[in-house]
Amino acid sequence: MNTKVQAEESKYDSLKWVAVVAIVVAGVVGNSMFSDESLLYRVLALLVLAVAAGFIVLQTAKGRTWYKLFKDAKGEMRRVVWPTRQETLQTTLMVLAAVLVVALMLWGMDTFFGWIVSSTIG
């Protein structure tokens, strides 16, 4: 698969990555330079820059590979057999009970060892 990705890479991919880095740097520097401006305007500008950078990334071979990975993962999520509400509730209650038991055991051991140390020292 690595050879397929290498073969599909455009000669302009590195230039696109430089543009993405430049956009990110411009967003960071611009956000600090315009710190006295309204937060709403700065957030909107950062969102516009993020969308532009994301669009450029999707034009690269690695960006297309990542997009395909996320698309395949979304398809896999549809095929997962999710637990029912009752199964989720039962599992959650079992985990909470186990955590409570371990917490009480640790508290008891801590109290016991603290009592031993205070008896020895003091």
Side-chain angles (χ1 to χ4, degrees):
M1 180 166 156
N2 210 1
T3 32
K4 269 175 77 176
V5 172
Q6 292 294 334
E8 293 175 5
E9 278 189 24
S10 167
K11 60 183 176 179
Y12 298 114
D13 273 2
S14 57
L15 184 62
K16 292 174 185 175
W17 284 108
V18 169
V20 168
V21 169
I23 289 173
V24 170
V25 168
V28 170
V29 170
N31 192 36
S32 65
M33 283 180 56
F34 295 108
S35 61
D36 53 339
E37 293 295 325
S38 171
L39 180 63
L40 174 67
Y41 296 141
R42 289 187 292 149
V43 167
L44 288 175
L46 287 175
L47 285 174
V48 167
L49 290 175
V51 167
F55 178 75
I56 293 172
V57 165
L58 288 176
Q59 304 306 311
T60 65
K62 290 205 185 293
R64 286 188 296 271
T65 304
W66 276 95
Y67 179 73
K68 183 177 179 334
L69 174 72
F70 286 124
K71 199 166 111 178
D72 292 346
K74 187 177 177 183
E76 288 293 325
M77 292 282 288
R78 288 192 194 119
R79 287 182 249 165
V80 171
V81 178
W82 295 101
T84 63
R85 183 176 178 90
Q86 182 183 5
E87 291 171 335
T88 305
L89 182 63
Q90 288 174 346
T91 305
T92 302
L93 291 176
M94 286 190 291
V95 168
L96 287 175
V99 167
L100 182 64
V101 167
V102 171
L104 288 173
M105 287 173 40
L106 289 174
W107 173 77
M109 288 173 32
D110 182 49
T111 303
F112 176 71
F113 289 129
W115 177 75
I116 289 176
V117 169
S118 65
S119 296
T120 305
I121 295 175

